[in-house]
């Protein structure tokens, strides 16, 4: 069907040319409406790579089921049941309130930032990692994604440790494998039990996850029900204490709390049948059961009293629990206002049934232990692929969940402080209340509600972590930004991440081998805090940059909130543990740099790129648009490359030399000109640019590429010299190769272009470097082990000749070369004084170089010079007179050569030269006219040749040739074996008629030298003796 029929009857005939590349709006909207969220990493949503993708069922999860409940389940957990009472007891109600408020504020601010990012476009599955990587770029995305992954994995370890602690301390203490043989070994035995049981549980959980995730997801609701029932039980228990407090008596000796595990009666002796008997407690403190036995000093001096462990909400115990009671490791838990008589201090505490603290406590440490209990705010956004309306559900659900849990935590702190006696709150494992879970003692109807509930909820949370973490790693691996993680992108046929699960279980095992819940908690705090910090940073950066694509549906955010959230995260990291914070930052930094150097190039339109552009714009505006100070001057190069017919670079060594000269510093613009019209040549220009960029990559030349298409080669170079660069970032030096083929007759424009370029750089006040025999220059891989860089300093050009060897010797290729400076003394110069002055000048410039003054005396112009000048002038005269076809021009050049070697006669030439182009074209021809014209041309031609062979050379040219020949002889004598010779480049003649002669002078000047760099200064000082 032809295009005409295709658009027949349509109203869009005007746009029919565009239809191939730009779809109609109606078809675009139709595609968008049928968009399906696929798992992140499986199919990148920007690129529909897989045409055979299966249709995914339209997800139908609302805010409550899809976001609110998962967040609730992830946030409420092990810390609430196992550690919150202990934190309240140790830090006091006020400081605990501050800890919880800080952590909750941090997550709330993060949730606001996250909501803004999540509602700025469609977020496929992959949640937080996806959001950060697409907002801040692959480097930050990878670093934060892996931090989040490590955090989730360590969270799994923490939940498993919590599960075992509940099992071995509160459900079945007899199940412990390791028992304490001696006093004081209880902690070590407990840690070993944790390690053995933890390893078994992790293997079991990994198998469950491997066999089927669907079972984990089905059980999630059961685990959530356990958590909610436990919390309701706590609130019910608090209400009950108001009128009927539960009976949990605590035994105190003086003001010291006693552990009820080793005795039953809280008294020194009992009366029965008028007989006084000592109790088990007596036997623990004395050496026998007799009343006259030798007892512990403190035991003898103080009474045993029994107080109520949970006096209830109306008892006013809140006033006692307001303030902190931090302690050293191994100190006894004491009640502050209880009367006590101090005994002698030398008695051994170990073995006595006191309640001891197991770790040293202080404010910042408690922050680290508590923070994991507020993590889990990403649970909703991680399920973004399964939501009916992610942009509405994620903000609402997450913020509601954080508000709910913050209320629960803050109210629990006040209620625990108001209901429970301080010594029980500080008793981490409930030893004073018969080994009950402290929160359990408060609950109604039974402590077992909490014990069983918390056991299942920690189990569930551990399973959730082991399910979520491998998926996150798989998403990162499939994005291809971290090359060594590629293997973890693979999995079972149904996409289950098998390898990722094994790695996750391995990292979890590290956490379990640490074995202490209080040591693992700060580690995962670090990783989560870092992740949250970057979420806030992403939102702040996007808002401040006002990126056109930043249009979140969630409007209640502000960059100040994000910035506050970011600062709070950073502060909390260092509050928790400054050394863990530094280690976490180091890990993230290493991942960042690794992705930057080795990672795949990804263009996600991220905020950091926008930030770079803004910073570049700001810096460019700050850099004044004028010449820099001499101290700051360095060659900012415009490298002019020649391309062949395939758009490949003719002289790649020019780029090698550029990178050796620059060593990655300053500005480099690599320019080239294509001859033609841009509309016809735009594809070739793109190809040329790709080739040049590829070569720049190979040669490690850091810079920019600019290809110009121009009808005339000459004009293109002029455009580049005038307009390359931007603002203050403009080139000040032009580097080009010497046109080797300028003498070849088919290339008669190359020398004209070259001389014009020299003139234009001078007009633009730019320095010029011309590399002769560029193909003999070293590659970046070569190393000169010896040799010299010789500088022939004939005229002062602003010190450019001094600066270049110094810069070259910074590079590995030239590092071992020595620098020698030669200068030329005339007849009336004092060469000894010149040498001294030059040495002093170099000393002030802080340059190390050998100095030599070469004397050039006036002498007669040799016949060779005269002959060479004559040949040059005859050749240029000849070419001007005749515009011949290629073959005839070659013949003519050969003829002149023969004429100079063996003197030919004029008739021989006369016979070999064809008629020149007529001076004027006549429109009508008669036979007479034709004959007359022919004779006229012949005569003028012959007379022209007679003139050529009878001419005398121009005296000015002879003088110049004399200088060139003499100087070349001196340079060859001294520098023939130098690795590089730098020479002042004489300027082109003011009279344009002598341009070709100028090329000849330069050719003679550099004859016989391997590597030459002709240098022409910009006329301004580029090197200074001042600091």
């Amino acid at each position: 069907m032809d295009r005409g029929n295709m658009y027949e009857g349509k109203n869009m005939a005007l746009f029919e040319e565009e239809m191939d590349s730009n779809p109609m709006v109606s078809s675009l909207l139709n595609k968008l409406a049928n968009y399906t969220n696929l798992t992140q990493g499986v199919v990148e949503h920007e690129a529909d790579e897989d045409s055979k993708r299966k249709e995914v069922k339209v997800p139908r999860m609302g805010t409550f089921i899809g976001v609110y409940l998962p967040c609730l389940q992830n946030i409420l957990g092990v810390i609430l049941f196992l550690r919150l009472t202990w934190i309240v007891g140790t830090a006091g109600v006020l400081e605990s309130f501050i800890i919880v408020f800080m952590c909750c504020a941090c997550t709330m601010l993060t949730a606001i930032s996250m909501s803004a990012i999540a509602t700025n476009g469609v977020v496929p599955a992959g949640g937080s990692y996806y959001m950060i990587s697409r907002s801040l770029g692959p480097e930050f995305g990878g670093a934060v994604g892996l931090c989040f992954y490590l955090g989730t994995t360590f969270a799994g370890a923490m939940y498993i440790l919590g599960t075992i602690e509940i099992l071995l301390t509160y459900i079945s203490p007899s199940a412990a494998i390791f028992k304490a043989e001696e006093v004081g070994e209880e902690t070590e035995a407990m840690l070993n039990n944790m390690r053995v049981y933890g390893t078994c549980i992790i293997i079991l959980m990994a198998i469950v996850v491997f066999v089927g995730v669907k079972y984990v997801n089905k059980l999630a609701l059961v685990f959530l029900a356990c958590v909610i029932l436990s919390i309701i039980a706590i609130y019910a228990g608090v209400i009950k204490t108001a009128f009927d407090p539960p009976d949990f008596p605590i035994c105190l000796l003086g003001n010291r709390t006693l552990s009820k595990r080793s005795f039953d009666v809280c008294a020194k002796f009992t009366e029965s049948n008028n007989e006084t008997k000592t109790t088990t407690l007596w036997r623990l403190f004395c050496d026998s059961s007799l009343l006259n036995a030798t007892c512990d000093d403190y035991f003898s001096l103080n009474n045993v009293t029994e107080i109520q462990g949970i006096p209830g909400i109306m008892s006013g115990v809140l006033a006692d629990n307001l303030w902190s009671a931090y302690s050293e490791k191994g100190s006894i838990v004491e009640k502050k206002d209880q009367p006590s008589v101090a005994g002698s201090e030398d008695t051994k505490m170990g073995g006595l049934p006191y309640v001891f603290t197991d770790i040293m406590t202080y404010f910042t440490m408690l922050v680290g232990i508590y923070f994991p209990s507020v993590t889990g705010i990403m649970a909703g956004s991680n399920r973004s692929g399964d939501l009916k309306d992610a942009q509405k559900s994620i903000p609402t659900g997450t913020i509601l969940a954080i508000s709910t849990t913050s209320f629960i935590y803050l109210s629990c702190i006040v209620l625990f402080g108001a209901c429970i006696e301080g010594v029980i709150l500080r008793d981490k494992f409930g030893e004073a209340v018969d080994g009950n879970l402290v929160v359990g003692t408060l609950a109604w109807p039974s402590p077992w509600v909490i014990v069983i509930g918390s056991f299942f909820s920690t189990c569930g949370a551990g399973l959730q972590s082991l399910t979520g973490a491998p998926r996150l790693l798989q998403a990162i691996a499939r994005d291809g930004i971290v090359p060594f993680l590629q293997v973890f992108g693979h999995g079972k046929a149904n996409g289950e991440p098998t390898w990722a699960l094994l790695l996750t279980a391995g990292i979890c095992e590290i956490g379990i081998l640490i074995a202490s819940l209080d040591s693992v908690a700060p580690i995962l705090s670090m990783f989560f805090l870092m992740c949250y910090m970057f979420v806030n940073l992403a939102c702040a950066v996007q808002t401040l940059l006002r990126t056109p694509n930043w249009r979140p549906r969630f409007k209640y955010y502000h960059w100040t909130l994000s910035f506050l959230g970011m600062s709070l995260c950073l502060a909390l990291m260092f509050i928790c543990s400054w050394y863990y914070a530094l280690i976490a930052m180091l890990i993230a930094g290493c991942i960042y740099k690794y992705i930057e150097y080795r990672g795949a190039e990804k263009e996600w339109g991220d905020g950091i790129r926008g930030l770079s552009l803004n910073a570049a714009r700001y810096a460019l505006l700050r850099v004044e648009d004028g010449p820099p100070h001499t101290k700051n001057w360095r060659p900012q190069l415009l490298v002019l490359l020649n391309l062949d017919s395939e758009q490949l670079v003719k002289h790649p060594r020019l780029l090698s030399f550029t990178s050796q000269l620059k060593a990655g510093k300053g500005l480099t613009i690599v320019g080239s000109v294509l001859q033609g019209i841009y509309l016809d040549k735009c594809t070739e220009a793109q190809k040329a640019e790709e080739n040049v960029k590829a070569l720049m990559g190979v040669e490690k030349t850091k810079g920019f590429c600019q290809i110009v298409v121009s009808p005339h080669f000459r004009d293109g170079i002029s455009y580049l010299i005038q307009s390359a660069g931007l603002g203050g970032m403009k080139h000040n030096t032009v580097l080009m190769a010497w046109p080797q083929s300028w003498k070849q007759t088919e290339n008669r424009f190359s020398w004209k272009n070259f001389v014009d370029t020299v003139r234009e750089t001078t007009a633009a006040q730019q320095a010029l470097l011309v590399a002769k025999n560029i193909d003999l220059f070293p590659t970046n891989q070569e190393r000169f082990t010896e040799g010299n860089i010789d500088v022939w300093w004939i005229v002062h050009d602003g010190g450019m000749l001094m600066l270049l060897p110094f810069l070259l010797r910074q590079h590995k290729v030239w590092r071992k070369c020595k620098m020698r400076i030669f200068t030329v003394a005339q007849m009336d110069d004092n060469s000894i004084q010149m040498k001294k002055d030059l040495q002093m000048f170099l000393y002030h410039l802080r340059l190390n170089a050998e100095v030599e003054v070469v004397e050039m005396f006036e002498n007669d112009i040799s016949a060779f010079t005269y002959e060479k000048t004559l040949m040059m002038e005859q050749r240029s005269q000849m070419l001007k007179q005749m515009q011949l076809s290629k073959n005839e021009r070659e013949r003519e050049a050969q003829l002149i050569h023969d004429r100079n070697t063996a003197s030919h006669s004029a008739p021989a030439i006369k016979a070999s030269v064809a008629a020149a182009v007529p001076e004027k074209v006549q429109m009508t021809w008669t036979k007479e006219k034709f004959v007359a014209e022919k004779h006229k041309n012949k005569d003028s031609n012959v007379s022209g040749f007679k003139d050529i062979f009878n001419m005398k050379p121009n005296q000015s040219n002879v003088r110049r040739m004399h200088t060139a020949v003499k100087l070349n002889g001196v340079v060859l004598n001294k520098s023939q074996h130098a690795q590089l010779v730098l020479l002042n480049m004489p300027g082109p003649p003011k009279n344009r008629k002598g341009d070709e002669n100028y090329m000849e002078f330069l050719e003679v000047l550099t004859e016989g030298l391997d590597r030459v760099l002709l240098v022409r200064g910009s006329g301004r000082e580029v090197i200074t003796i001042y600091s």
Side-chain angles (χ1 to χ4, degrees), residues 237-258:
V238 169
I239 295 165
K240 186 172 173 286
T241 61
F243 50 86
D244 180 18
D247 183 34
F248 279 104
I250 314 166
C251 198
L252 298 177
L253 173 62
N255 65 353
R256 296 176 178 179
T257 317
L258 297 174

Side-chain angles (χ1 to χ4, degrees), residues 10 58 109 405 539 635 668 700 839 905 985:
K10 303 252 176 132
V58 180
L109 290 168
T405 49
C539 182
T668 305
K700 295 187 172 64
Q839 280 169 334
S905 61
M985 182 176 180

Side-chain angles (χ1 to χ4, degrees), residues 95 147 228 426 530-531 882 978:
E95 285 184 30
C147 278
I228 291 170
R426 287 193 291 286
M530 185 162 281
C531 178
M882 293 177 290

